[in-house]
């Protein structure tokens, strides 16, 4: 019997990663219609940086969910590989651009692309990644036109929702907004993270596999709940996770003044002096370890950490309920349930 209920999903990711990476390697975009000299420059300034960044990806969770969505409706997941690559390219674009917006220093253990190659180059490389979201699907002759069009529509909608969430996240910080409510935060986080981290990849995989509307809708709803739980757990990991695993990002949400559910809930429940003190730390851009510890202590003492843990668990249970009445391939169903647990077990 598995002690860790998320291990089935962890093994699934490991099993699918080589297939995804092989597909990405075989369909890496390259310069066309250029002489050797110009082609070399295009490779240096555009194509190679994107290939380098995409190759450095982590567990390939999001593209793997495209494959899992196809399997869940009873077909060979290979039919969703171009969709999986599209989701991975969107992830690359989002991270490259996010690092610029957040003035981040490190990504995946290396200097951020804008740090190593320059801001202008990084923006352009991120834009190429967005183009690849569409081009790979358009060139996939195994998808019929109606399926391809629907997947492209879903991915476009996903990108719009992600940008809406990013706009709120960046705008609240820029304008020094502290009137954000828990509901405001949950709206922002579901748009910024849940659509592209789980809901849309699962739904698009099911669409590629010819799934029914009931199956597509159930997988999408499951992904929204599980994806939001994933973001809540990410917020907690940043504050009380393993500093060694978090690296330089550890407690960066405090330094950057992020309006996380933990911070927002704490500010609305602390007494006035403590709330003012927490807001001051969050607004200061501090990296001082003692002040970061103080901010976390204020959140813990008022019960914010526990409240967010409870909300993440509730979302996971709600996600599992979404699958209860819909017909799905049994092994895929078990993997999906394990995925929900995996998303919130990362805190240990």
């Amino acid at each position: 019997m598995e002690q860790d209920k998320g291990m089935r999903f962890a093994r699934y990711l490991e099993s699918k990663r080589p297939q995804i990476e092989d597909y990405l390697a075989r369909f890496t975009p390259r310069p066309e219609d250029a002489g050797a000299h110009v082609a070399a420059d295009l490779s240096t300034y555009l194509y190679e940086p994107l290939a380098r960044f995409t190759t450095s990806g982590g567990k390939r969770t999001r593209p793997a969910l495209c494959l899992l969505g196809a399997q869940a409706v009873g077909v060979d997941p290979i039919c969703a590989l171009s969709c999986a690559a599209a989701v991975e390219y969107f992830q690359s674009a989002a991270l490259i651009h996010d690092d610029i917006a957040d003035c981040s220093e490190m990504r995946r253990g290396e200097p951020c692309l804008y740090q190593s190659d320059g801001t202008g180059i990084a923006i352009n490389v991120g834009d190429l990644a967005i183009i690849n979201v569409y081009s790979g699907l358009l060139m996939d002759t195994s998808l019929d036109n109606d399926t391809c069009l629907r997947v492209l529509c879903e991915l476009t909608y996903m990108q719009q929702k992600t940008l809406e969430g990013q706009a709120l996240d960046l705008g609240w910080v820029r304008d020094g907004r502290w009137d954000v409510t828990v509901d405001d935060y949950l709206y922002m986080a579901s748009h910024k993270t849940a659509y592209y981290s789980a809901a849309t990849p699962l739904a698009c995989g099911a669409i590629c596999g010819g799934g029914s509307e009931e199956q597509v809708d159930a997988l999408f709803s499951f992904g929204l709940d599980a994806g939001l739980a994933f973001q809540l757990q990410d917020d907690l990991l940043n504050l009380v996770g393993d500093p060694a695993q978090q690296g330089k990002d550890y407690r960066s949400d405090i330094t950057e003044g992020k309006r996380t559910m933990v911070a927002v809930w704490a500010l609305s429940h602390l007494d006035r002096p403590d709330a003012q003190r927490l807001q001051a730390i969050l607004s200061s851009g501090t990296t001082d370890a003692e002040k970061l510890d103080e901010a976390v202590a204020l959140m813990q003492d008022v019960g914010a950490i526990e409240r967010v843990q409870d909300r993440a668990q509730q979302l996971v249970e709600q996600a599992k309920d979404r699958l209860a009445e819909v017909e799905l391939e049994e092994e895929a169903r078990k993997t999906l349930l394990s995925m929900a647990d995996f998303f919130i077990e990362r805190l240990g």
Side-chain angles (χ1 to χ4, degrees):
M1 180 177 179
E2 295 175 359
Q3 293 181 344
D4 183 347
K5 293 182 289 185
M7 283 303 296
R8 174 186 287 269
F9 183 67
R11 290 196 299 271
Y12 180 84
L13 293 180
E14 279 297 310
S15 71
K16 295 302 178 184
R17 182 175 174 176
Q19 186 179 26
I20 293 165
E21 293 187 343
D22 175 69
Y23 188 91
L24 288 168
R26 286 189 292 116
F27 292 95
T28 296
R30 294 175 176 85
E32 299 177 359
D33 302 324
H37 183 72
V38 172
D41 285 346
L42 285 172
S43 179
T44 299
Y45 303 139
L46 183 62
Y47 292 100
E48 189 278 331
L50 179 58
R52 185 176 76 239
F53 187 90
T54 303
T55 300
S56 70
K59 296 183 176 67
R60 308 294 186 193
T61 303
R62 294 163 183 84
L65 292 184
C66 291
L67 306 187
L68 184 55
Q71 180 184 337
V73 299
V75 301
D76 188 338
I78 196 173
C79 72
L81 273 171
S82 62
C83 182
V87 169
E88 185 66 15
Y89 276 121
F90 177 72
Q91 165 81 342
S92 291
L95 295 180
I96 291 168
H97 289 160
D98 279 2
D99 286 341
I100 298 169
D102 294 339
C103 299
S104 302
E105 295 184 3
M106 304 292 290
R107 171 68 66 182
R108 297 169 176 168
E110 300 289 339
C112 295
L113 192 63
Y114 82 97
Q115 295 274 19
S116 62
D117 292 50
T119 301
I121 293 290
I123 292 172
N124 210 40
V125 169
D127 290 346
L128 175 63
I130 293 174
I131 291 172
N132 289 346
V133 172
Y134 300 97
S135 62
L137 280 161
L138 290 169
M139 291 186 292
D140 185 356
T141 57
S142 69
L143 296 177
D144 65 71
N145 289 342
D146 288 344
T147 299
C148 184
L149 179 60
R150 183 172 178 192
V151 170
L152 289 172
C153 288
E154 292 293 336
L155 291 173
T156 300
Y157 185 72
M158 172 196 78
Q159 291 181 73
Q160 178 183 347
K161 293 304 177 185
T162 305
L163 292 174
E164 288 176 354
Q166 178 75 336
L168 293 173
D169 195 25
L170 294 172
W172 290 337
V173 173
R174 187 199 70 179
D175 292 346
R177 294 276 302 279
W178 290 107
D179 58 341
V180 177
T181 67
V182 168
D183 284 344
D184 294 336
Y185 166 81
L186 294 174
Y187 180 95
M188 180 277 291
S190 65
H191 283 59
K192 180 178 178 179
T193 302
Y195 277 85
Y196 96 92
S197 289
T200 301
L202 284 169
C204 283
I207 292 168
C208 289
S212 68
E213 289 303 314
E214 181 186 20
Q215 289 172 320
V216 172
D217 289 346
L219 289 167
F220 182 84
S221 297
F222 168 87
L224 274 184
D225 290 335
L228 183 52
F230 178 90
Q231 182 58 55
L232 292 179
Q233 199 73 342
D234 250 17
D235 294 344
L236 293 172
L237 284 166
N238 189 270
L239 299 177
V240 296
D242 183 351
Q245 291 186 4
Q246 292 288 305
K248 287 188 175 182
D249 286 335
Y250 188 57
R251 296 185 171 172
S252 61
D253 285 353
I254 299 173
T255 302
E256 296 171 14
K258 292 287 188 180
R259 276 62 171 170
T260 62
M261 181 178 168
V262 188
V264 169
W265 196 90
L267 287 169
S268 66
H269 288 79
L270 286 165
D271 59 36
R272 185 174 179 81
D274 285 342
Q276 289 176 332
R277 176 56 182 163
L278 178 57
Q279 183 175 321
I281 296 173
L282 290 166
S283 302
S284 68
T286 185
T287 58
D288 180 81
E290 289 187 4
K291 291 181 180 178
L292 297 177
D293 286 344
E294 181 184 357
V296 173
L298 287 167
M299 296 177 193
Q300 285 179 319
D301 291 346
V302 79
I305 301 291
E306 183 179 358
R307 179 55 63 96
V308 174
Q309 289 173 326
D310 289 345
R311 185 58 180 268
Q313 185 63 54
Q314 290 168 6
L315 283 164
V316 162
E317 296 307 317
Q318 183 172 297
K320 292 178 179 180
D321 288 343
R322 304 281 192 186
L323 305 182
E325 302 299 326
V326 65
E327 181 180 350
L328 297 172
E329 192 271 336
E330 193 56 33
E331 286 302 309
R333 182 191 299 276
K334 291 176 182 177
T335 304
L336 286 163
L337 296 176
S338 175
M339 164 193 152
D341 292 320
F342 176 86
F343 276 7
I344 63 166
E345 285 174 355
R346 295 171 300 141
L347 194 59

